[in-house]
Amino acid sequence: MKPDARVRLEVFFAEYTLDYKGLIAKAANSLFPERTRLQESAVEEFISVERADNLLQGALTSFPDEEVALGEAQGRVLRVPVSADREHPPFNRVMMDGIAFRLGSFEAGRRSFRIERTIRAGERPFPLEDPEACVEIMTGAALPAGCDCVVPVEQIRRVDCVAEVSNDISPKTMQHVHRQASDYGRGEVLVRPGRRLDAAAIGVAASVGCAVLRVSRLPKVAVVATGDELVDVTEVDVPSHRIRRSNDSALAAALRLRGLKDVTACHVPDDPERLRDETARLLSESDVLVLTGGVSMGAFDYVPRVLHAVGVKALFHKVRQRPGKPLLFGLGREGQSVFALPGNPVSALVCLYRYVLPQLEKAMGIEAAPPERAALDRAYDARTDLTCFLPVRVSTDETGRLLAEPRPTNSSGDFASLVGTNGFVELEAGRREFPAGYAAPLIRWSM
Ligand code: AMP
Ligand code: MG
């Protein structure tokens, strides 16, 4: 087809679609009237960030737990304590390859020790009876009774079956020995519930014989991108008036990076019937629903009405924050958490990190730690009385203090500039001027 003919055809379809959409909008407004929604539910509107946090806290329920094999447990949240099945070390553990003998003999002037035997790691130790003798011993072996000192191989000279100890050393009692029970006693709690299992915690669990661990079940999360203007990532010839959709990819990636495995993403156009059917289906299959777009005041922003129609009870809609003002949170009939984030990519990502991820982590049992703070490296004018989420690049100064360099985006649609940032700081509502050195809570894109 000739290019101009194609453009004419596209314009025709665009206009036709707009007309058609106008009719659908009218029908939808009578199907899902905004007024009914507001009268029927006790949704709080245009609330502070603190109030939104409180409402989320009040709506929090824990995800159930399940057992997983140790090899699958990394990144999961522990729900039952890991305790010591015996003391550690369970024996006096030698920490250097060398010889072991009685320190009293050295102190009495002896420098030559007959090597009675060699003890390997893992070998049952027999007591050393002869105070004039020593044992050759390896790292990891149990120190035999009758020995209270280890001298490393670097400090001895071996002549046949005799070890000669240098005169320049001054060995101490139990040197190079990791003493029995010096780390922890039997029954001690080593890893507490609420901990995300990292390499150290997995190692500890293995050492006390936890082949299976009880952890939080991972929630099933559905991400839904809404919008008629959105085309698939694979689209090559994107019409000039449309855009590739990116929020669903970004949000799903952020969720997966936090260890969530069951995350699906899909796209629904601004069509109330289809949105209702899709939302109802996804709600019945998911623990958490995250929508983006269609939650503001536009004629085709159907999300609040549709959520109401499928039985979601909205707790709040619109938060006194920038970006991300249109945010909506509600609960499905079976207690599913439903977050409707604005469509603007910066707003969507900020809302996910500020509200969705913390809520999911608390529901998985993670203890909320006090937020990390970073000091603004220059004065900043927030130009709003709302809470301001400001993208920043972090660094440390020469004293080790964490600094945040403001990297405001062009608009909440300018997501390319987020790539150069590490996260965002939260600037409190009610003031605009923030001096250099102002310490603000920091949320990082990755931990
Ligand atoms: P909305 O909240 O639906 O009014 O969308 C606000 C802006 O965000 C519009 O410019 C949309 O085109 C854009 N937007 C919405 N959803 C997405 C998405 N999934 N990916 C990229 N941009 C989006
Ligand atoms: Mg939209």
Side-chain angles (χ1 to χ4, degrees):
M1 193 189 299
K2 279 203 211 138
D4 60 335
R6 197 175 126 181
V7 168
R8 280 209 304 278
L9 207 64
E10 271 178 14
V11 168
F12 169 78
F13 274 119
E15 282 170 0
Y16 172 82
T17 314
L18 264 182
D19 268 5
Y20 166 75
K21 287 285 168 182
L23 287 175
I24 294 267
K26 276 195 197 130
N29 286 341
S30 57
L31 253 176
F32 308 105
E34 183 83 0
R35 198 138 297 288
T36 330
R37 181 180 70 79
L38 293 182
Q39 282 165 358
E40 281 179 9
S41 65
V43 54
E44 294 194 26
E45 300 236 1
F46 208 33
I47 56 171
S48 68
V49 165
E50 294 71 33
R51 181 69 188 142
D53 283 337
N54 287 340
L55 289 170
L56 282 162
Q57 183 62 38
L60 189 70
T61 46
S62 289
F63 296 129
D65 52 27
E66 64 180 2
E67 287 196 330
V68 292
L70 183 66
E72 302 294 320
Q74 62 284 346
R76 304 291 296 270
V77 180
L78 187 69
R79 291 291 278 271
V80 168
V82 167
S83 306
D85 64 332
R86 53 187 192 149
E87 58 198 16
H88 194 264
F91 51 86
N92 285 323
R93 193 167 66 99
V94 171
M95 297 200 298
M96 299 288 271
D97 299 319
I99 58 167
F101 50 77
R102 188 164 299 172
L103 185 62
S105 305
F106 179 90
E107 285 169 348
R110 173 163 292 280
R111 296 294 179 269
S112 286
F113 295 87
R114 180 178 59 80
I115 301 173
E116 192 172 287
R117 57 197 306 265
T118 301
I119 304 177
R120 309 153 67 110
E123 198 175 333
R124 183 182 298 281
F126 290 98
L128 179 71
E129 312 282 2
D130 179 359
E132 297 182 358
C134 71
V135 292
E136 184 182 33
I137 199 153
M138 304 302 144
T139 303
L143 186 74
C147 296
D148 57 1
C149 175
V150 171
V151 171
V153 70
E154 295 81 356
Q155 294 175 0
I156 61 172
R157 204 164 68 89
R158 192 182 166 146
V159 184
D160 297 330
C161 284
V162 173
E164 283 176 7
V165 182
S166 149
N167 241 333
D168 312 333
I169 62 166
S170 41
K172 308 270 177 318
T173 317
M174 296 301 261
Q175 72 169 23
H176 305 305
V177 177
H178 188 188
R179 284 197 200 214
Q180 181 170 3
S182 61
D183 292 355
Y184 53 78
R186 187 177 168 184
E188 220 168 285
V189 174
L190 304 177
V191 191
R192 296 189 183 284
R195 161 98 179 219
R196 205 185 263 285
L197 291 163
D198 56 10
I202 292 284
V204 168
S207 76
V208 301
C210 291
V212 165
L213 289 164
R214 189 156 278 280
V215 298
S216 252
R217 190 168 67 68
L218 293 175
K220 211 169 151 52
V221 187
V223 177
V224 186
T226 72
D228 287 344
E229 73 281 30
L230 306 175
V231 302
D232 195 77
V233 58
T234 55
E235 195 98 6
V236 181
D237 229 352
V238 184
S240 58
H241 53 284
R242 304 187 72 181
I243 55 169
R244 287 196 194 90
R245 55 179 217 269
S246 57
N247 286 353
D248 46 330
S249 298
L251 301 178
L255 291 157
R256 291 186 186 122
L257 281 167
R258 289 290 171 99
L260 300 177
K261 295 202 177 103
D262 201 346
V263 180
T264 58
C266 68
H267 169 233
V268 184
D270 294 318
D271 171 335
E273 309 262 332
R274 282 185 61 185
L275 194 58
R276 184 188 58 190
D277 293 348
E278 250 333 76
T279 310
R281 184 182 67 78
L282 290 168
L283 265 179
S284 71
E285 296 174 354
S286 319
D287 304 300
V288 180
L289 196 58
V290 180
L291 301 109
T292 78
V295 70
S296 311
M297 305 306 285
F300 309 111
D301 287 341
Y302 297 119
V303 167
R305 282 167 269 182
V306 163
L307 288 178
H308 177 71
V310 297
V312 172
K313 183 178 175 302
L315 271 68
F316 64 78
H317 185 194
K318 299 192 208 92
V319 179
R320 300 182 59 77
Q321 61 188 12
R322 181 181 292 161
K325 195 174 103 183
L327 174 69
L328 180 152
F329 170 72
L331 292 172
R333 286 201 180 100
E334 274 97 58
Q336 309 94 318
S337 292
V338 180
F339 295 87
L341 318 183
N344 266 313
V346 178
S347 319
L349 210 56
V350 162
C351 286
L352 186 89
Y353 275 86
R354 176 60 180 75
Y355 298 101
V356 184
L357 295 179
Q359 185 78 352
L360 298 197
E361 297 198 327
K362 280 189 213 160
M364 285 195 281
I366 293 189
E367 294 267 329
E372 189 179 16
R373 282 177 183 267
L376 292 178
D377 75 347
R378 65 200 67 182
Y380 185 74
D381 179 357
R383 296 205 203 111
T384 176
D385 289 326
L386 309 179
T387 298
C388 170
F389 299 119
L390 169 68
V392 294
R393 183 156 184 89
V394 296
S395 61
T396 45
D397 69 8
E398 58 287 351
T399 67
R401 191 168 67 139
L402 195 60
L403 295 180
E405 176 199 336
R407 290 282 184 96
T409 55
N410 245 337
S411 70
S412 48
D414 167 25
F415 54 109
S417 61
L418 291 186
V419 173
T421 65
N422 303 98
F424 56 90
V425 290
E426 181 167 334
L427 303 177
E428 64 194 303
R431 61 186 282 191
R432 290 168 178 242
E433 308 284 342
F434 294 87
Y438 178 86
L442 168 72
I443 293 184
R444 292 182 187 258
W445 303 130
S446 61
M447 299 195 286

